[in-house]
Amino acid sequence: MTARVAVLGTGANGAGIGADLVRAGHDVTFIEQWPAHVDAMRARGIHVEMPDESHTTPVTVHHLCEVAEMREPFDIVFIVVKAYDTRWASELIAPLLAPDGLAIGLQNGMMAEEMAGILGAHRTLGAVIEITANMFEPGIVDRQSSRAHSWFALGALDDSTRGREEEAASILRAAGTVEISDDIRSSKWMKLVANAAELVPSAILDLPLGEAVRMPGMREFMEKTAHEAVRACLASGGRLMPIFGMTERDIAEPDDYAVILLDKVLRDYTMPTTLTTVLQDWRKGRRGEVEELNGFVVREQERLGGSAPCNARVERLARQIESGARRAGADNLELLLAGS
């Protein structure tokens, strides 16, 4: 029997992934909150521009307000909303996830436990995602990483779903490489290490990631921010894990691994025009995932009796920008590096 799949949240990443699944022949329903985007996809399908190809795919799409009208359950739900929207998105889809269905959060942050608390660990898989994509016009995705350069990891949170990862992986492979992690919490921590170093710090400078990292002192600051996140992971009981196609040979000392991980992202997943998700959000007038990235590292370190001064500085400046007290821009570099 063909699995019924929903993609809840069809922004740049969700729409690009969903289009791949549709084109691979899967039964996919898009669920989206941006009215103009819903209208555009209904009228013209979803258009995805990639480095090696472009395509327009007709899709079935519903607005959030139409979810209450749905009756037939979904077997697989990919939740691709911002980390701070995870709880309400999980509550929204809970009645429509089959009793033996699986929900997978393809998003930043450590949100798998939040999903499991609502949907049940027996219906939740953790995931790591690495895709580069932008969306500034409804119905159009600028996906800078092709399927060959898109990467995912899936893993069980406990024994109730262990062995079921392939049910979702077999579908998601239409969008990129999928690996199964035997410790998905640690794998998600590794992605957080990269995100904490790159996403918000470069957005504070209002620069594409590739430009931000070349600013004087910025690469060293990113590494320190990553080191703090690695130490938080290890102190909380996590371990170093290979992600993004890396192997066990790439794992050495914690500080060395952080540098290797940053190099991997900058080399394989960053183009000259790549804007991080946080910078995209800010330029759209939306808040970014500050609390769920650098803020999470800070609070984990505080909980464990430690500190994360670089992450705390990132969080403080980002909050000032989001409150309107400060503007994002390269003139924030001195403040970002102060004390580093």
Side-chain angles (χ1 to χ4, degrees):
M1 183 175 67
T2 302
R4 295 194 73 241
V5 179
V7 180
L8 173 52
T10 56
N13 287 343
I17 292 167
D20 286 341
L21 304 190
V22 172
R23 293 172 70 83
H26 296 291
D27 178 2
V28 183
T29 298
F30 284 29
I31 302 173
E32 172 56 36
Q33 62 180 313
W34 182 14
H37 188 33
V38 172
D39 292 343
M41 288 190 288
R42 282 176 171 165
R44 301 182 296 276
I46 183 68
H47 183 74
V48 182
E49 293 275 353
M50 289 191 285
D52 53 355
E53 63 178 303
S54 301
H55 53 68
T56 300
T57 306
V59 295
T60 299
V61 57
H62 295 278
H63 190 272
L64 293 182
C65 66
E66 297 173 313
V67 170
E69 302 169 9
M70 299 179 183
R71 296 293 181 266
E72 191 175 353
F74 294 103
D75 303 297
I76 301 288
V77 175
F78 294 109
I79 297 180
V80 204
V81 298
K82 295 296 179 183
Y84 51 70
D85 287 332
T86 301
R87 291 194 63 84
W88 69 254
S90 298
E91 293 281 8
L92 178 75
I93 206 64
L96 287 169
L97 180 61
D100 60 347
L102 291 171
I104 304 95
L106 301 178
Q107 53 193 169
N108 293 324
M110 304 292 286
M111 308 310 297
E113 302 290 353
E114 298 278 347
M115 290 175 54
I118 295 167
L119 300 168
H122 66 291
R123 298 197 299 175
T124 306
L125 294 177
V128 181
I129 175 174
E130 185 59 29
I131 286 182
T132 305
N134 305 315
M135 175 181 285
F136 292 98
E137 296 181 52
I140 301 175
V141 176
D142 174 20
R143 181 169 164 181
Q144 297 175 333
S145 55
S146 65
R147 287 187 297 277
H149 291 89
S150 299
W151 184 92
F152 308 88
L154 301 181
L157 299 176
D158 63 25
D159 289 341
S160 63
T161 53
R162 206 169 307 281
R164 297 191 63 194
E165 299 93 339
E166 189 60 31
E167 295 176 32
S170 63
I171 294 170
L172 190 56
R173 286 196 179 96
T177 299
V178 182
E179 297 181 8
I180 307 301
S181 170
D182 64 358
D183 183 352
I184 194 62
R185 290 180 179 86
S186 292
S187 293
K188 288 182 72 61
W189 257 113
M190 296 301 96
K191 177 65 186 299
L192 181 58
V193 168
N195 284 347
E198 298 167 353
L199 300 193
V200 188
S202 61
I204 287 171
L205 302 183
D206 194 31
L207 292 173
L209 180 55
E211 291 184 33
V213 76
R214 292 194 296 271
M215 296 291 285
M218 191 62 178
R219 172 59 194 249
E220 293 76 12
F221 177 79
M222 286 181 169
E223 290 179 6
K224 291 178 181 179
T225 307
H227 296 160
E228 291 177 359
V230 168
R231 289 192 287 272
C233 168
L234 298 177
S236 66
R239 61 189 175 100
L240 300 182
M241 292 283 290
I243 61 173
F244 305 156
M246 299 165 69
T247 68
E248 293 288 343
R249 292 192 299 273
D250 296 309
I251 299 177
E253 293 299 317
D255 286 355
D256 293 337
Y257 178 66
V259 173
I260 293 169
L261 183 59
L262 290 179
D263 284 339
K264 177 75 171 176
V265 174
L266 291 168
R267 182 180 65 249
D268 295 349
Y269 296 101
T270 303
M271 297 178 65
T273 58
T274 296
L275 304 180
T276 69
T277 57
V278 174
L279 184 52
Q280 290 184 56
D281 287 336
W282 285 356
R283 289 188 177 183
K284 295 173 185 175
R286 302 179 60 185
R287 63 188 174 100
E289 295 168 314
V290 177
E291 169 70 22
E292 294 77 16
L293 300 177
N294 302 88
F296 184 86
V297 175
V298 171
R299 266 158 288 291
E300 275 297 286
Q301 283 283 28
E302 290 175 347
R303 181 179 69 84
L304 297 163
S307 65
C310 292
N311 281 276
R313 200 174 311 134
V314 170
E315 183 185 21
R316 182 173 63 253
L317 289 171
R319 290 190 183 282
Q320 291 174 1
I321 290 168
E322 292 195 338
S323 72
R326 178 177 302 280
R327 292 178 63 88
D331 55 351
N332 292 321
L333 180 64
E334 184 176 352
L335 292 172
L336 195 61
L337 303 184
S340 295

